[in-house]
Amino acid sequence: FTLRAQNVNLKSAFVSVNVGGFLIANDGFEKVYGSKFGFGPGISLGLPLSTHMYLYGKATYFFKNGVPVISTYSYSFQDSTWTKTSERKEGTARFREWIFNAGLHYNFFLSKEYTLGISGGATLINLYEKRESASSGSSTLTGGGLLGYFGGAALERNFENSPFTVSAEAQYNFSRNVIKSFVGDYGGLNLTLGVRYYFKKPNRQ
């Protein structure tokens, strides 16, 4: 009789720890916080539906500290308009945002060393912002819920006989128009590097 060796693609769940940054799309954000870009660590999880497809979830924590912009206006009775007369920075501002992506992730096995993954689904957020200054007091913004949807891609480097991989991932979180119209755009670009652990190491063919 003849023995034939076969490669078996095992379905395997994974968990990742990610570091990187988030570039928020909110207009005027950089005036208070100096930049739209900030540190955004996170974690992700994949539950296999097949050897290629996963139920996928990713949580990212984006935070920035800044100084509120205080504007002074004067009213012209002749023109019936408000005119900005001065602008200064004063006090403290703290912004915190959790970004939750949930959807599907699909892997293309380019070779034994490299895997290309694409992902997409829904984006939910939970945000908190507090601004304080001596002249204007304090204001707090809190909220959460369905922001919109996301899409992204990841390049993964695999290592022989190791359940660990290294991945670089880019995702964009799109805000629904109704959200942008009422409260602003709190989506943006998420760029991360991560270490991924597979509970069963799959053969990638």
Side-chain angles (χ1 to χ4, degrees):
F1 59 92
T2 302
L3 296 176
R4 299 183 184 276
Q6 293 183 342
N7 288 324
V8 179
N9 283 313
L10 298 175
K11 294 188 292 183
S12 176
F14 67 79
V15 62
S16 302
V17 177
N18 311 298
V19 294
F22 185 72
L23 181 66
I24 195 167
N26 189 271
D27 289 334
F29 189 87
E30 70 278 10
K31 292 182 65 176
V32 176
Y33 296 98
S35 167
K36 289 189 175 184
F37 187 80
F39 189 52
I43 58 173
S44 57
L45 176 68
L47 301 176
L49 298 175
S50 70
T51 55
H52 290 267
M53 185 171 288
Y54 294 80
L55 286 174
Y56 174 81
K58 183 175 183 178
T60 301
Y61 183 61
F62 172 59
F63 58 95
K64 292 278 285 184
N65 295 324
V67 181
V69 176
I70 310 299
S71 299
T72 303
Y73 295 85
S74 64
Y75 184 76
S76 171
F77 290 96
Q78 182 177 357
D79 299 329
S80 300
T81 58
W82 287 94
T83 304
K84 184 187 294 186
T85 57
S86 66
E87 190 174 80
R88 67 187 187 280
K89 301 192 74 172
E90 173 191 300
T92 60
R94 299 174 66 245
F95 183 86
R96 307 289 183 262
E97 181 180 12
W98 277 102
I99 305 156
F100 302 99
N101 289 338
L104 295 175
H105 179 93
Y106 190 90
N107 278 335
F108 296 93
F109 301 139
L110 304 180
S111 67
K112 289 185 177 180
E113 289 79 26
Y114 291 98
T115 300
L116 175 65
I118 59 172
S119 57
T123 297
L124 297 93
I125 64 168
N126 183 276
L127 64 89
Y128 170 86
E129 183 181 30
K130 186 171 184 179
R131 301 184 184 187
E132 295 180 292
S133 67
S135 59
S136 61
S138 65
S139 63
T140 302
L141 171 67
T142 60
L146 179 63
L147 176 73
Y149 60 96
F150 79 95
L155 183 63
E156 192 174 354
R157 175 64 165 91
N158 315 304
F159 301 97
E160 188 175 0
N161 300 321
S162 173
F164 291 96
T165 67
V166 176
S167 64
E169 188 169 33
Q171 292 179 340
Y172 197 90
N173 300 276
F174 299 89
S175 296
R176 293 180 292 157
N177 288 332
V178 64
I179 299 294
K180 290 191 289 186
S181 299
F182 281 96
V183 297
D185 192 347
Y186 289 95
L189 179 63
N190 194 5
L191 300 171
T192 57
L193 294 174
V195 176
R196 182 169 293 176
Y197 175 80
Y198 285 87
F199 291 91
K200 293 180 181 178
K201 178 175 173 57
N203 291 320
R204 300 168 176 87
Q205 301 294 337

